[in-house]
Amino acid sequence: MTRTDWPAGRGDRAAFTRTHGEERAARFLTAFHEGDPVGDALFTADVPRAALMRQLRSALRAGEAAPGDAPQVAAFLDDMRAGVSDADWEQIERGRRVYLSIPVLTHSVALGPGSLVNTYSSPAISTVLVGTGRLVDGALRRLMDTRNWNYHLYTADALRPGSGGFEHTGMVRAMHAFARAQHHAKRPDTAEWGLPINAIDMLRTWFDFTYIPYRGLTAMGYDLSGEQLRDVYGMWQTIGRLLGIPADLLAGLDDHHSSEPMVQAITDVAGKPDDGSRALVDALVRASAAQLALVLDLPEGPLREKTQAQIRIIHGDELADRLAIPRTSMQVAELLQVPVVRQRYDFLRQLPQELEKEIARNAAMLSQLLAATEDGQSAYETVPAEDAAA
């Protein structure tokens, strides 16, 4: 397949062009075949993979490559450091405080039933994830891994070179490159969806941590101000660059309103949920309920219904129906809480001292949850080296 061919699973190019314009269509066509050259180079290097991964982890932890590291590791660290070279650290800190103004467990709802459900709903992504053989059977592990990475992002100064957010984001980026290489080796034909985990798929996932969860939080009663949203997006602009998303695709995505055209364009090329999507979402629902049952010492059945209700509230009935999410009376109970949550959050922002207490409480909870998920077994830390040794 050549780069002049629009992938068949992405719909009709002419229809896309009529809606979104030739300039965006041309950029999407390139992006469908665009990976992350700096990350991808790690898995074509003439260096034993396990040794390369050890170098990479050490370099990310130190914030820079060591003199004897492979050139690919040095180039990766140079690119990561460049990603934060012009970061607005004051805005990043404000974005962190926005996150901490909302209970961390509430963010977990926005992350699982919100972010991951949207990720899995695209067959372009579900095909790759199901193909790994890890996610349907290991949904709880995947949920824990994503939360662990997310928790690292919101500690103080997390994105500075050598800090936890910087280190773990680099490993997530390496895992994406590894999955891309593995999937492409097994299925080199890119005629249906383009390159696996291509630039458009990565940008779609970026929206799964900005547009999707924060729209979901609004539906749950957390109405952020325009300034708060811009600070959240500003923080994630830096994270996006650390993840290797092309800068021109991120440009101008500063809040929900400015993101709408790009979100709609990506939705139009994402494809409709397939059997893989439904299997992943079903596994996620069960994993979320199992984890909550363990934490709250409650039966899984009602918690599964609660998770299904949250999916319908966040994503709406059309997508929920496509994902075979049943309707449940629990949705009424969940919606009844929204006005109370909204009123409390509005009052909280008007009371600076109480807001500071809330942020401190949520920061303490974040530390506890980070410790609970920090077991050194996350997929982004272990998969590349283990596969090399197999």
Side-chain angles (χ1 to χ4, degrees):
M1 176 178 177
T2 67
R3 296 173 68 94
T4 59
D5 293 329
W6 186 271
R10 301 293 184 172
D12 179 63
R13 177 177 178 171
F16 181 91
T17 303
R18 285 194 296 272
T19 302
H20 303 287
E22 175 57 34
E23 183 178 353
R24 179 155 285 171
R27 182 63 185 97
F28 270 47
L29 176 57
T30 300
F32 289 143
H33 303 279
E34 183 178 1
D36 171 16
V38 175
D40 294 340
L42 294 170
F43 300 100
T44 59
D46 188 22
V47 178
R49 187 166 297 161
L52 197 76
M53 287 298 101
R54 284 195 296 270
Q55 290 181 14
L56 180 61
R57 291 188 189 107
S58 295
L60 288 167
R61 197 170 295 122
E64 59 184 357
D69 284 346
Q72 293 85 356
V73 172
F76 190 91
L77 264 293
D78 285 346
D79 193 76
M80 291 281 291
R81 291 178 65 88
V84 297
S85 62
D86 61 348
D88 183 340
W89 296 109
E90 291 182 359
Q91 184 180 51
I92 289 172
E93 174 59 17
R94 292 196 302 271
R96 187 179 81 92
R97 286 172 57 81
V98 172
Y99 177 95
L100 292 173
S101 71
I102 298 170
V104 180
L105 291 178
T106 301
H107 278 288
S108 293
V109 173
L111 179 65
S115 303
L116 291 179
V117 165
N118 196 64
T119 297
Y120 295 164
S121 68
S122 170
I125 297 176
S126 68
T127 299
V128 177
L129 299 182
V130 172
T132 67
R134 299 174 187 272
L135 293 187
V136 173
D137 295 332
L140 183 57
R141 178 74 252 179
R142 169 64 175 177
L143 182 60
M144 185 173 174
D145 290 352
T146 306
R147 285 176 176 165
N148 175 258
W149 170 56
N150 208 248
Y151 296 154
H152 273 98
L153 298 176
Y154 291 99
T155 58
D157 292 324
L159 302 183
R160 293 187 184 274
S163 294
F166 181 91
E167 174 193 349
H168 285 256
T169 302
M171 290 308 301
V172 168
R173 180 177 178 178
M175 183 190 70
H176 289 164
F178 176 76
R180 187 183 303 114
Q182 292 294 97
H183 187 77
H184 192 54
K186 295 175 183 175
R187 300 180 61 178
D189 184 3
T190 57
E192 185 173 13
W193 296 109
L195 190 70
I197 316 182
N198 59 58
I200 293 301
D201 294 333
M202 289 191 290
L203 183 60
R204 186 178 189 274
T205 301
W206 184 84
F207 282 125
D208 289 343
F209 292 94
T210 50
Y211 186 89
I212 296 298
Y214 283 93
R215 288 291 295 268
L217 287 165
T218 297
M220 294 160 63
Y222 294 93
D223 293 319
L224 271 64
S225 68
E227 183 180 1
Q228 284 179 304
L229 275 175
R230 286 189 291 275
D231 287 337
V232 167
Y233 273 81
M235 179 178 181
W236 275 90
Q237 280 280 338
T238 298
I239 297 169
R241 290 193 291 273
L242 289 175
L243 287 169
I245 300 173
D248 69 306
L249 291 179
L250 289 168
L253 305 178
D254 301 320
D255 54 22
H256 290 341
H257 178 72
S258 58
S259 296
E260 287 279 2
M262 183 66 86
V263 169
Q264 188 55 58
I266 289 177
T267 300
D268 288 350
V269 298
K272 303 300 182 186
D274 62 1
D275 288 342
S277 301
R278 286 181 280 275
L280 287 164
V281 170
D282 180 67
L284 173 67
V285 169
R286 294 176 183 277
S288 297
Q291 191 175 54
L292 282 172
L294 189 64
V295 172
L296 302 176
D297 193 26
L298 293 172
E300 286 188 32
L303 293 173
R304 192 175 302 143
E305 290 187 13
K306 180 181 179 72
T307 304
Q308 291 164 341
Q310 290 165 343
I311 290 173
R312 285 196 170 270
I313 291 170
I314 293 171
H315 297 285
D317 289 333
E318 182 178 353
L319 179 58
D321 287 344
R322 289 184 181 276
L323 291 169
I325 299 296
R327 296 171 186 266
T328 169
S329 59
M330 189 75 75
Q331 186 171 344
V332 176
E334 290 292 304
L335 288 171
L336 286 173
Q337 299 178 45
V338 172
V340 177
V341 171
R342 180 173 291 118
Q343 185 179 54
R344 180 182 183 276
Y345 192 61
D346 285 345
F347 280 145
L348 190 64
R349 286 179 295 180
Q350 298 174 41
L351 302 169
Q353 290 184 336
E354 293 304 312
L355 178 60
E356 289 304 317
K357 291 178 183 177
E358 183 81 357
I359 289 173
R361 280 192 294 268
N362 291 332
M365 175 62 75
L366 181 76
S367 296
Q368 293 177 25
L369 292 171
L370 182 56
T373 57
E374 187 80 332
D375 62 2
Q377 298 299 311
S378 60
Y380 60 78
E381 291 183 301
T382 61
V383 169
E386 284 181 356
D387 217 89

